[in-house]
Structures are given as structure tokens and as C-alpha cells.
């Protein structure tokens, strides 16, 4: 990923009283995005719908976390964790995400995710943890360091 602007340093804060909601098909293609998701990610809802959910994947996220998410979704039907996401303008936002299955007439048809804000301390801890996980797996390095 190439950063052409300075926005990669700019965090968008998820308001305490709002939830970011999306649904995907079974392959992770976005089928629904609420207003808050659009606002916080910097996209319009119609730019999000039909795209893979990795449209908001941030390069700071270790690959392992999403492998784990998909494997838990398949085996346990749910996953929760802390995610740093990428905005359209290359800024970022942190969330606590709960991902789960959606059934219609007893048939698994979609996945949904509901996300809420996390504390500053959690952001610091998870940034360092994810930096370490990427380093351990020889993944992309972060350009700036908070250490
Ligand atoms: C309901 C649902 C919500 C998801 N939300 C996010 C998200 O907010 N950010 C993200 O990077 N990946 C999210 N994913 C995982 C992506 O589909 C994708 O696996 C991930 O971004 C890694 O990209 P890759 O699979 O192309 O490596 C979500 C998946 C599902 C099923």
C-alpha cells in the first residue's frame, strides 16, 4: 500500500453513542452498510455495497486476525475482536467488532458485524500487539513508531 497523503496519521473517532453496522454475503461482499459505517469510513453507502469488506482493511492489521475471524465464523458462528480499519482518505478508525451469522428460514444466508468504540489505552495496546504480530510473521512494517 502506498500512502500518497498525510491522512494515514489521522484518526477518526467513533462516537460513543453510535454503532457501525454492516452485513455481507457468505463471501464477505458487503450487502448493507448503515449511515455510521459510511460516515466513519468516508465512503457513501453505495460505494460500499457490492464491494469486498476488505475495502476497509488497514495494512496494520495482521493477516492472522482475519484468518482467525473466518475460521471462527465457520466453526463457532461468531467472532469478536479489536480491528483498525482504513478510511477512504487513508485515515483510520479503531473498533471493537462482533461478527455473527444471519439465518433466514434456518438457512445461513449472511454475516453481520456490529462495532463500537474502544478506549485510548486499548488502541495503544492493540497497535503494539498488532505491530508485533506482523513483525513475527514478516508482514508489512509500520512507517512511524509510537515507541
Ligand atoms: C460481516 C463481516 C464484517 C467484516 N468487517 C471487516 C472490517 O471491518 N474490516 C476488515 O478489515 N475486514 C472485515 N471483514 C473481513 C474481510 O472480509 C476480509 O477477510 C479482511 O479484510 C482481510 O482481507 P483479505 O481476506 O482480502 O485478506 C469482515 C468480514 C465479515 C464477514
Amino acid at each position: 500500500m502506498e500512502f500518497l497523503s498525510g491522512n494515514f496519521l489521522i484518526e477518526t473517532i467513533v462516537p460513543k453513542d453510535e454503532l457501525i453496522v454492516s452485513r455481507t454475503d457468505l463471501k464477505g461482499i458487503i450487502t448493507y452498510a448503515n449511515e455510521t459505517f459510511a460516515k466513519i469510513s468516508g465512503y457513501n453507502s453505495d460505494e460500499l455495497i457490492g464491494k469486498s469488506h476488505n475495502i476497509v482493511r488497514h495494512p496494520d492489521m495482521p493477516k492472522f486476525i482475519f484468518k482467525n475471524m473466518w475460521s471462527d465464523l465457520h466453526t463457532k458462528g461468531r467472532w469478536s475482536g479489536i480491528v483498525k480499519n482504513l478510511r477512504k482518505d487513508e485515515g483510520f478508525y479503531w473498533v471493537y467488532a462482533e461478527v455473527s451469522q444471519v439465518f433466514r428460514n434456518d438457512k445461513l444466508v449472511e454475516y453481520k458485524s456490529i462495532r463500537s468504540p474502544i478506549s485510548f489505552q486499548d488502541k495503544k495496546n492493540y497497535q503494539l500487539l498488532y505491530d508485533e504480530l506482523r513483525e513475527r510473521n514478516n508482514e508489512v512494517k509500520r512507517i512511524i513508531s509510537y515507541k
Side-chain angles (χ1 to χ4, degrees), residues 22 24 28 53-54 56-57 66 69-70 73 83 85 99 111-113 115:
S22 63
T24 73
H53 217 309
N54 71 8
V56 291
R57 186 197 188 289
F66 296 114
M69 173 193 286
W70 281 102
L73 267 181
V83 182
N85 273 333
V99 190
Y111 296 116
K112 66 170 188 288
S113 177
R115 310 165 188 89

Side-chain angles (χ1 to χ4, degrees), residues 6-57:
N7 285 338
F8 69 91
L9 290 171
I10 298 176
E11 177 177 10
T12 298
I13 304 287
V14 180
K16 275 204 177 69
D17 55 350
E18 289 187 49
L19 294 171
I20 297 175
V21 182
S22 63
R23 288 200 310 268
T24 73
D25 68 11
L26 298 180
K27 291 189 168 142
I29 305 294
I30 299 170
T31 55
Y32 169 80
N34 77 342
E35 286 264 316
T36 302
F37 182 23
K39 186 178 69 182
I40 301 296
S41 67
Y43 290 97
N44 294 322
S45 313
D46 31 323
E47 287 180 288
L48 291 167
I49 290 161
K51 302 280 165 53
S52 164
H53 217 309
N54 71 8
I55 189 171
V56 291
R57 186 197 188 289

Side-chain angles (χ1 to χ4, degrees), residues 131-142:
D131 285 351
E132 228 173 271
L133 285 174
R134 291 196 320 282
E135 198 165 330
R136 225 183 281 166
N137 295 307
N138 287 315
E139 290 176 47
V140 63
K141 284 210 169 62
R142 195 150 50 92

